[in-house]
């Protein structure tokens, strides 16, 4: 029994790179966010725009994001991001991202997110809710 | 004797916000990068485009970036980012960022960067170099 | 009697530039959008987050955007954007942007926007409404 | 004999959308830039990072970019961009982009670009050069 791993491949765009010719750091966090949406679509078999309404939550907002940059990623590089849940806790979880170029690990990312409903008093604030067991189960490959 | 703190204030743009009406996470890393450039300009009294050539390096590339999101930051919010060096090590250092809205801490960031010359064998790779004592001194307020 | 001109100055960030060392084209459209918000704040004397609610509309969505790139704008350049209404029509208007570096015109932009309420049948669609005379008047300097 | 059309399909990411839940305008210009690179890769059968060196130029910088927004494009929409050369002139050309959602045309873009070598006196400026006939020919489908 292991965890579901979502992989996607794409080529680094000109507009994602800085004057040093390498990916500007904030772009990796965009890449990770997009991978997380795809991971959830894949696990829950629901298009991203219906993902949260269906589960009665408002979203899975970030409370912590981190990246370690091991090897520069350049314009035109063919990259692969492998994404999986590192750990489910009561109402939060870690999404791990491994971005590699030609099989070499280049950037490691971790997002800590919360399973969250909209706060009653302030629609822009969120309130953590327990992650349903049925959701967690969908990330397990038997 | 304390460390130099660079502060800047700005208003959150429409284009920095996501469908939840709050700043999209990658934008904070853009904000932090911009603050780091200003902190170095301020400490070294050199325009950013001449900053590294003057010190014989190619740049201060990131090896690690992290943010903790404490309070959602919304479209139109007037924010302040206070940035300072957390620690200088031999050839790397931490830049700390504290983003607040109306005096309330909203996002904490840390960038770990390397004082780096261009690698002889591969111009897109960098090689760490010791941070000059004269540079470190400029970040100290006596 | 002339039109209100909003001017803002800022320095080109590292993250806005591409591997050629110049501003990536899409960033100019971000710059223009931000200038338009400031122009409206300035004309209507209302913070941007209350701008449209106050006038009973949902926003001023773009129907056309255009830029002419005359001179490359580089990392670290100190730029000024002057923004003004080119023309008010019944329910649409043009916002003109002139971005200059050191007094030299570098990029000319034009946004065509609509004064729009939310569509009754589809909250993501907009419906054009006549621009109130009182709004138009605020963009005139007597 | 007709022109080569490059098509790509992708899903609209959360981070590309604004608080109105639709794609922020500058993102379309990113999309178009990426499509242009793919169109040239496809026509010239060369990876993007070698595209210009191979033809002795520095790039194909934009001199004009334009978009008409016909229908709002939303988070999660499956879009297709069809891109082709509208016209080749002596040293410049138009790249046309048609972005559609579910077969409905949503955004029309046009980029005017120059076939350009680096200027001898200023490496950040470009100098227009005639587009080689052999290049133009590659965009024709016989």
């Amino acid at each position: 029994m292991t965890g579901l791993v979502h992989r996607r491949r794409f080529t680094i765009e000109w507009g994602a790179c800085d004057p040093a010719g390498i990916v500007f750091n904030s772009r990796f966090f965009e890449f990770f966010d997009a991978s997380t949406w795809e991971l959830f679509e894949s696990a829950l078999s629901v298009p991203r725009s219906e993902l949260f309404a269906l589960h009665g939550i408002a979203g899975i907002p970030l409370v912590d994001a981190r990246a370690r940059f091991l090897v520069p990623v350049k314009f035109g590089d063919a990259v692969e991001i492998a994404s999986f849940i590192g750990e489910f806790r009561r109402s939060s979880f870690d999404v791990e991202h491994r971005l590699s170029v030609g099989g070499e690990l280049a950037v490691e990312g971790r997002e800590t997110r919360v399973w969250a409903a909209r706060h009653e008093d302030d629609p822009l604030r969120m309130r953590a809710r327990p992650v349903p067991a049925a959701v967690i189960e969908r990330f397990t490959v038997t």
Side-chain angles (χ1 to χ4, degrees), chain A:
Chain A
M1 196 190 88
T2 57
L4 181 70
V5 178
H6 176 74
R7 297 173 192 281
R8 66 184 182 108
R9 293 179 181 76
F10 59 97
T11 303
I12 298 298
E13 303 294 352
W14 180 259
C17 297
D18 68 17
I22 61 175
V23 174
F24 183 65
N25 87 85
S26 76
R27 292 285 185 167
F28 290 109
F29 294 95
E30 274 194 52
F31 299 165
F32 296 152
D33 190 82
S35 283
T36 294
W37 283 100
E38 288 193 12
L39 173 64
F40 272 76
E41 280 188 318
S42 170
L44 303 179
S45 309
V46 174
R48 62 187 72 179
S49 54
E50 300 163 28
L51 211 47
F52 300 131
L54 195 79
H55 289 88
I57 57 169
I60 47 171
L62 279 164
V63 292
D64 194 293
R66 178 169 194 168
R68 293 177 56 217
F69 309 103
L70 309 169
V71 176
V73 182
K74 302 183 299 293
F75 169 59
D77 277 352
V79 306
E80 180 182 280
I81 302 182
S83 303
F84 55 94
I85 301 295
E87 187 188 5
F88 274 115
R89 289 174 297 271
R90 189 171 178 279
S91 57
S92 72
F93 53 94
D94 295 332
V95 191
E96 304 281 345
H97 304 281
R98 303 285 177 268
L99 186 152
S100 54
V101 180
E104 183 184 20
L105 182 63
V107 182
E108 276 188 341
R110 174 183 298 163
E111 300 176 309
T112 301
R113 291 175 176 270
V114 172
W115 192 262
R118 211 164 287 292
H119 201 284
E120 293 84 31
D121 303 334
D122 178 353
L124 286 171
R125 299 227 175 184
M126 300 280 204
R127 202 163 55 96
R129 307 283 293 171
V131 189
V135 165
I136 295 173
E137 202 172 293
R138 300 297 294 267
F139 287 87
T140 308
V141 179
T142 48

